[in-house]
Amino acid sequence: MRFDIYDFTSFTQDIDRLLQENLTPFWATVAELTIVGVVILAFYALVGLFLVYAERKVCAFMQNRLGPNRVGPFGIFQTIADLIKLLMKELIPIKHADKILFNLAPFIVIIASFMAIAAIPFARGLHAIDLNIGVFYVFAVSSMGVIGILLAGWSSNNKYSLIGAMRSGAMVVSYELSVGLSLLSIVIFAGTMQLSGIVESQADGWWIFKGHIPAFIAFLLFITASTAETNRGPFDLAEAESELTAGFHTEYSGIRFAFFFLAEYMNMFIVASIAVTIFLGGWMPLQFGGLEGFNTVMAYIPPLVWFFLKVAFVIYLMMWFKWTFPRLRIDQILTLEWKYLLPLSLINTVLIALVVLLGWHF
Amino acid sequence: MSTETSTLNLFIGENDEYIINMGPQHPSTHGVLRLELALKGELVERVVPHVGYIHRGIEKMSEKLPYPQIIHLTDRMDYLSALMNNEAVCLAAESALQVEVPERVKYVRTILAELQRLASHQLWWCAFGMDLGALTTFFYGLRDREKILDIFEESFGSRLLHSYYLPGGLMHDIHPNFQKRVKEFLKYFRKKLPEYDQLLTGNVIFQNRVKGIGLLSKEDAISYGVTGPSGRGSGFACDVRKHQPYSAYDKVEFTECLHTDGDTWARYKVRVQEMWESMHIIEQLIDNIPEGDYTAKMKAIIKLPAGEYFQRVETARGELAVYIVSDGNKTPYRIHFRTPNFSNMFVMSKIGVGCKIADLVALGGSLDLVIPDIDR
Amino acid sequence: MEREQLKEAIARLAPGLEFPENAQLTEVLAPTAGFRDLCKALRSDAALQFDYLISMTAVDYPDHIVLVYHLHSSALGHTLVLKQKLTDREKAEADTVSDLWLTAEYQEREVFDLFGVHFNGHQDMRRIFLEDHWVGHPLRKDYVDEINIIER
């Protein structure tokens, strides 16, 4: 079994061959699914833990504080301590709640984010499935989470939760359009919906640089709209701590709450990964034409490092928004989408189509 | 705290309204205030405030207590302007006894009142940002407020509930470091206050959230008795410091911050401007504190001559008026506190109608409510 | 306006006004009948313009209750203490001024809650601080609460 930090294709193929040789085709598939499932689950938990810690440290940095610094060195075990606390907490049963939906909601939210991870290419050959309609798939799956939020708000029999859920529903449905259109603009550039194909098309330069100003506008639109879609500040109306106490997850406790909490961070990770994959060249290193020495050094850095560095940058950007901006009001959010972002996305898409037709891009 | 015959409960179901109880435990009512809201979607159709969750009967208790002890109770009304509350009772008692307090006391009282006003406005600024979802403001404000509380702690040993004044003067003299530390703080805060504007005031989202929200006309402000920065945001010139100067306010130069828009944005601007004015007032006084006694000569047991006494004081939230009816004993026959928040809060039932839930929160934040002050 | 001028201007408005001694402010004791008309006149008279009700409260005496209104003019800057005497302590009633000064709506509710004075014409006469099933009116001097009030 060969292991190459620059190309995982052979590595995954070796595992596949090993399993196929030793097992019947049916059991080989089962074994592969199990391995992928366990790996993603472990990855999910790890990223979740890290992001929670990162957010607390970043927000502490913004707010003249130290952040967690008691559990372990620099408080790195703080989230693990939190997790243990959440696991041990009582699941408070809610009277007059719709029991089935109430219990189902956190799972829908978390499964939606779980499914989206499957399609993201972390490095060459390192992804669970490489669908030829990858963009479409991620887009479809990640918007399923709002069903969970709506169910959570409705089933917990709480007025605040219901308002939060309705806000979230209205918001996600609106912002899907901008997210979709801004992704579409790069699909027009790359000529493919396959995520690995889009990454490959950026080998000589990231779309955000190659695609002139329209691609940059599309990136801004995507970051704005996807922040809204993940219900994060300044678009965190669904939770709106100061207005609706905690919005749709007011009535949840213990591990059910942890699911919502984790899903929020994972959605942030997914959105950042998509932004990186589509606009910032995925796992491709930073390359400039004419700078041979620089390009060689950059190419030596493994793709996984590139990918996670870029994701960390986008996530930092989103945290930066959250901790410095006040929250918008529901009508302002919808106005922003329907009156500004959506027309802008449409014009931008047409512009990109023109750029591609006339061959103006690099 | 009327729960059973609340007017709104009768209307549940009528007009398809969605009745929601904001409070008594809610992050943005700033205490145990309950607002009964009738919603239509996100729009607020009716606001019915319910108060009394921390009614402690301060007026009744005071009827059994001698005056120096009443001062300790006044701390517990508006705990963010404790010194100004103390001052109100002291001034009323002093004018009743016709005691001339030393100049030093007047200067120190004025400086402390303005420091307290600064601390209070800083806390308001943090909480207002929080109400609008800008969580970072909270730590910026508290960082600076801490410096003021440290000065208080060094000077008289308490950070929140001071009870530092007595009728006739101060409980003890100011700390030798007081002037030095206040000057250090002013130097520091003059640099830090522009940060507040950078973080929040100029933000487009913030301005859109507060402009044109909760319009309160001047006539309504006067009729509802909305005083303090909230009233001045509507153009009601109600600064007692300016119109009926007490302590050393007649010796200092300052402007009464007036805005005529009457919306949340105007109230915000008044308070930020008042922070500059407070610093300006302290700067004029801090170098000129005269030497002398820290208290006038008072009898051991203070008995006000029979009669009625009325004293108005400008606290951080508005006008506090103390009405004392004395029958010549060491305890008042009747004492009434006209607290600023009582009037300021009930105006919500008028200006809260027609705005959204998020606006109501912004509006409540801009009125700067302290609930124990309403309930007394 | 000087206190003497203020007294003269007010004395023109209604008959039967008394001006008791007060060291600090101008004080007016008005008869219960026609009190509302007097308030209306005080508010609208061009020379007086008492548009700001600073405080409204009551004082309980052994044989009567006095309602105390502190009025202020925001434009002209003078202050007035207006009083009316309610002789029937058991069934104390007064006319509301809550439509003249909107803040009075809540201050009257407070007086109702703590003194038991009923205001005629008030649209929402409920207790404001205490619970609805509370017995008695605590700020009256003869209020007894054997558990919480310790007599010394």
Side-chain angles (χ1 to χ4, degrees):
Chain A
M1 203 193 297
R2 284 170 298 140
F3 186 75
D4 181 358
I5 51 166
Y6 296 102
D7 188 354
F8 289 85
T9 326
S10 51
F11 172 66
T12 42
Q13 275 168 0
D14 284 348
I15 294 176
D16 183 42
R17 202 169 49 245
L18 198 75
L19 289 169
Q20 296 286 1
E21 280 167 7
N22 296 325
L23 297 164
T24 60
F26 173 74
W27 287 111
T29 317
V30 171
E32 274 179 19
L33 287 178
T34 319
I35 290 170
V36 169
V38 168
V39 168
I40 288 189
L41 196 66
F43 174 73
Y44 197 103
L46 213 65
V47 169
L49 286 181
F50 177 73
L51 280 182
V52 175
Y53 175 72
E55 167 125 292
R56 296 175 77 166
K57 274 294 186 192
V58 168
C59 100
F61 169 67
M62 305 255 175
Q63 298 176 338
N64 302 308
R65 301 187 280 125
L66 290 175
N69 62 350
R70 285 286 180 272
V71 191
F74 303 106
I76 47 172
F77 300 127
Q78 181 66 49
T79 34
I80 297 174
D82 285 348
L83 190 74
I84 293 169
K85 179 202 77 177
L86 282 170
L87 282 170
M88 292 190 350
K89 271 185 116 169
E90 185 193 357
L91 296 174
I92 299 164
I94 309 295
K95 262 187 195 170
H96 309 300
D98 191 327
K99 292 265 163 16
I100 299 169
L101 296 183
F102 186 73
N103 292 331
L104 190 65
F107 291 96
I108 293 181
V109 171
I110 209 156
I111 284 170
S113 63
F114 210 85
M115 280 163 81
I117 278 196
I120 291 166
F122 294 99
R124 183 177 282 126
L126 194 66
H127 40 60
I129 34 168
D130 190 12
L131 294 167
N132 56 358
I133 48 159
V135 174
F136 182 68
Y137 169 80
V138 168
F139 183 51
V141 162
S142 62
S143 55
M144 258 174 56
V146 73
I147 299 176
I149 291 176
L150 278 173
L151 283 184
W154 188 77
S155 64
S156 47
N157 191 28
N158 179 317
K159 291 173 176 178
Y160 287 114
S161 302
L162 187 57
I163 295 178
M166 288 302 145
R167 281 178 174 188
S168 176
M171 212 163 75
V172 172
V173 168
S174 324
Y175 277 84
E176 289 281 280
L177 297 167
S178 281
V179 172
L181 284 170
S182 55
L183 290 183
L184 207 61
S185 56
I186 300 303
V187 172
I188 297 173
F189 270 131
T192 174
M193 279 180 114
Q194 194 171 16
L195 284 170
S196 60
I198 292 177
V199 177
E200 293 291 347
S201 72
Q202 302 181 68
D204 54 340
W206 305 349
W207 280 121
I208 195 168
F209 300 132
K210 277 206 299 185
H212 294 298
I213 294 162
F216 189 69
I217 295 173
F219 177 70
L220 290 184
L221 286 172
F222 179 79
I223 288 289
T224 317
S226 56
T227 311
E229 219 191 310
T230 47
N231 283 327
R232 275 184 64 81
F235 306 101
D236 58 343
L237 286 157
E239 291 173 37
E241 192 242 336
S242 61
E243 294 154 30
L244 306 175
T245 56
F248 61 93
H249 59 60
T250 306
E251 298 288 357
Y252 284 90
S253 63
I255 193 66
R256 293 198 199 116
F257 167 73
F259 276 7
F260 281 115
F261 196 58
L262 202 58
E264 184 193 327
Y265 285 98
M266 285 321 288
N267 283 332
M268 186 161 75
F269 177 77
I270 290 160
V271 161
S273 314
I274 295 169
V276 166
T277 310
I278 307 261
F279 295 97
L280 301 179
W283 37 265
M284 288 290 176
L286 185 62
Q287 304 275 298
F288 288 112
L291 292 171
E292 288 306 319
F294 177 79
N295 288 351
T296 327
V297 172
M298 286 295 126
Y300 267 117
I301 300 172
L304 268 181
V305 174
W306 271 114
F307 182 82
F308 283 108
L309 275 180
K310 290 177 198 172
V311 168
F313 168 73
V314 176
I315 287 179
Y316 178 76
L317 215 60
M318 290 168 76
M319 287 179 178
W320 193 1
F321 294 158
K322 167 153 185 171
W323 294 109
T324 42
F325 286 164
R327 190 184 300 117
L328 277 87
R329 207 168 56 208
I330 181 73
D331 61 323
Q332 290 172 341
I333 276 193
L334 297 181
T335 313
L336 177 70
E337 164 64 13
W338 292 102
K339 282 196 182 161
Y340 301 101
L341 293 191
L342 185 61
L344 198 62
S345 322
L346 285 168
I347 294 168
N348 200 39
T349 315
V350 173
L351 212 66
I352 282 177
L354 273 177
V355 168
V356 172
L357 271 178
L358 300 173
W360 283 346
H361 67 99
F362 299 114
Chain B
M1 204 196 325
S2 20
T3 41
E4 285 147 40
T5 52
S6 122
T7 45
L8 260 186
N9 281 336
L10 306 172
F11 293 115
I12 290 180
E14 238 176 62
N15 305 329
D16 286 336
E17 278 157 341
Y18 191 65
I19 309 291
I20 196 165
N21 272 308
M22 197 180 246
Q25 273 82 35
H26 189 281
S28 59
T29 52
H30 300 237
V32 281
L33 166 69
R34 181 170 134 230
L35 297 173
E36 210 172 297
L37 310 179
L39 302 177
K40 218 159 207 175
E42 286 262 345
L43 282 176
V44 178
E45 297 263 293
R46 248 196 318 276
V47 185
V48 177
H50 293 268
V51 296
Y53 287 89
I54 37 172
H55 177 64
R56 292 147 297 178
I58 284 182
E59 288 172 14
K60 184 77 179 175
M61 275 195 272
S62 301
E63 287 175 10
K64 304 269 179 206
L65 293 175
Y67 293 97
Q69 290 187 20
I70 293 172
I71 286 168
H72 295 263
L73 289 179
T74 59
D75 281 346
R76 272 88 182 157
M77 293 193 311
D78 181 352
Y79 48 83
L80 293 177
S81 15
L83 284 168
M84 288 102 123
N85 295 352
N86 295 171
E87 197 174 357
V89 177
C90 291
L91 287 172
E94 283 153 13
S95 75
L97 294 165
Q98 291 174 336
V99 175
E100 187 56 40
V101 292
E103 283 294 297
R104 183 181 180 80
V105 174
K106 288 185 179 174
Y107 274 63
V108 171
R109 279 182 182 174
T110 313
I111 292 168
L112 286 176
E114 292 308 313
L115 277 178
Q116 180 101 73
R117 193 182 314 277
L118 268 175
S120 169
H121 282 355
Q122 282 163 356
L123 191 72
W124 157 81
W125 186 80
C126 330
F128 188 51
M130 281 261 281
D131 285 344
L132 294 169
L135 301 167
T136 304
T137 60
F138 195 73
F139 296 91
Y140 273 67
L142 283 190
R143 173 194 66 190
D144 303 334
R145 181 171 178 260
E146 203 66 11
K147 308 255 182 220
I148 298 183
L149 296 193
D150 284 347
I151 296 174
F152 285 167
E153 190 177 9
E154 192 184 60
S155 298
F156 34 87
S158 57
R159 293 167 70 85
L160 192 68
L161 307 171
H162 308 298
S163 307
Y164 180 46
Y165 301 158
L166 285 176
L170 311 173
M171 203 171 267
H172 46 75
D173 207 355
I174 50 170
H175 194 272
N177 281 345
F178 181 73
Q179 274 160 299
K180 192 177 111 237
R181 291 197 62 170
V182 171
K183 273 187 270 186
E184 272 169 14
F185 168 76
L186 288 175
K187 213 173 144 202
Y188 163 86
F189 194 56
R190 278 214 177 262
K191 280 210 258 353
K192 293 292 178 185
L193 192 50
E195 275 185 14
Y196 289 24
D197 291 340
Q198 286 164 16
L199 184 63
L200 197 63
T201 316
N203 191 308
V204 183
I205 302 177
F206 172 73
Q207 295 201 357
N208 283 332
R209 278 294 303 277
V210 294
K211 276 184 184 163
I213 301 304
L215 283 172
L216 176 65
S217 67
K218 188 183 172 186
E219 286 69 38
D220 278 343
I222 296 172
S223 187
Y224 270 103
V226 179
T227 50
S230 310
R232 290 196 279 281
S234 301
F236 176 20
C238 54
D239 199 333
V240 182
R241 295 176 292 169
K242 195 89 191 165
H243 301 293
Q244 291 188 357
Y246 53 93
S247 292
Y249 283 112
D250 48 352
K251 297 186 183 66
V252 289
E253 181 75 18
F254 68 102
T255 38
E256 183 181 9
C257 315
L258 279 177
H259 282 262
T260 45
D261 303 342
D263 55 356
T264 304
W265 174 234
R267 293 189 275 273
Y268 176 88
K269 282 191 289 188
V270 168
R271 285 205 174 81
V272 173
Q273 207 180 326
E274 273 195 6
M275 285 200 245
W276 288 108
E277 287 302 325
S278 289
M279 282 196 282
H280 183 53
I281 294 174
I282 300 171
E283 271 164 359
Q284 293 173 51
L285 296 175
I286 189 70
D287 282 324
N288 316 324
I289 301 179
E291 293 298 318
D293 286 337
Y294 60 83
T295 179
K297 278 227 178 318
M298 300 292 284
K299 284 180 186 152
I301 293 171
I302 295 166
K303 287 181 179 173
L304 298 199
E308 293 178 8
Y309 309 101
F310 189 68
Q311 178 66 44
R312 300 162 72 191
V313 161
E314 180 79 13
T315 74
R317 268 155 212 81
E319 180 180 333
L320 173 77
V322 183
Y323 173 62
I324 299 176
V325 180
S326 174
D327 55 357
N329 276 327
K330 62 176 181 177
T331 62
Y333 184 75
R334 162 100 175 102
I335 189 163
H336 176 68
F337 297 102
R338 181 261 186 227
T339 52
N341 287 298
F342 185 85
S343 310
N344 288 8
M345 195 273 295
F346 283 106
V347 82
M348 274 177 101
S349 59
K350 167 144 183 100
I351 58 178
V353 173
C355 59
K356 303 203 165 50
I357 306 173
D359 292 338
L360 194 78
V361 170
L363 168 58
S366 78
L367 290 174
D368 193 11
L369 302 175
V370 168
I371 310 303
D373 197 33
I374 300 171
D375 291 351
R376 303 196 291 284
Chain C
M1 206 186 291
E2 291 300 309
R3 285 178 64 171
E4 287 308 315
Q5 283 175 291
L6 194 62
K7 274 183 191 173
E8 279 170 29
I10 294 166
R12 276 192 282 110
L13 296 174
L17 298 183
E18 294 171 40
F19 294 91
E21 277 298 304
N22 189 316
Q24 289 179 322
L25 302 163
T26 317
E27 189 174 321
V28 177
L29 180 60
T32 318
F35 185 77
R36 239 183 82 85
D37 295 330
L38 175 68
C39 286
K40 261 186 199 161
L42 284 174
R43 191 180 153 78
S44 55
D45 192 292
L48 299 169
Q49 293 183 34
F50 286 109
D51 50 359
Y52 170 32
L53 177 66
I54 302 174
S55 152
M56 192 238 136
T57 187
V59 185
D60 184 38
Y61 291 102
D63 55 346
H64 62 275
I65 290 177
V66 176
L67 294 182
V68 188
Y69 300 75
H70 285 90
L71 296 170
H72 185 78
S73 166
S74 68
L76 305 172
H78 45 234
T79 313
L80 174 75
V81 189
L82 182 63
K83 288 185 177 178
Q84 62 172 324
K85 203 186 258 188
L86 308 178
T87 41
D88 189 0
R89 273 184 87 246
E90 294 313 307
K91 204 169 163 296
E93 276 183 337
D95 286 334
T96 181
V97 291
S98 61
D99 50 339
L100 301 173
W101 295 284
L102 294 170
T103 181
E105 178 176 348
Y106 305 99
Q107 307 208 4
E108 281 174 0
R109 272 177 67 186
E110 187 190 329
V111 171
F112 169 70
D113 190 356
L114 303 176
F115 286 93
V117 178
H118 193 276
F119 288 90
N120 298 323
H122 191 287
Q123 24 172 305
D124 190 17
M125 202 79 259
R126 291 182 286 129
R127 283 186 183 269
I128 192 167
F129 291 143
L130 306 175
E131 288 151 29
D132 284 346
H133 50 76
W134 196 275
V135 181
H137 300 283
L139 274 182
R140 288 201 178 195
K141 290 284 174 187
D142 52 3
Y143 177 77
V144 193
D145 182 345
E146 286 175 353
I147 299 163
N148 294 313
I149 298 181
I150 302 160
E151 289 294 335
R152 275 180 294 193

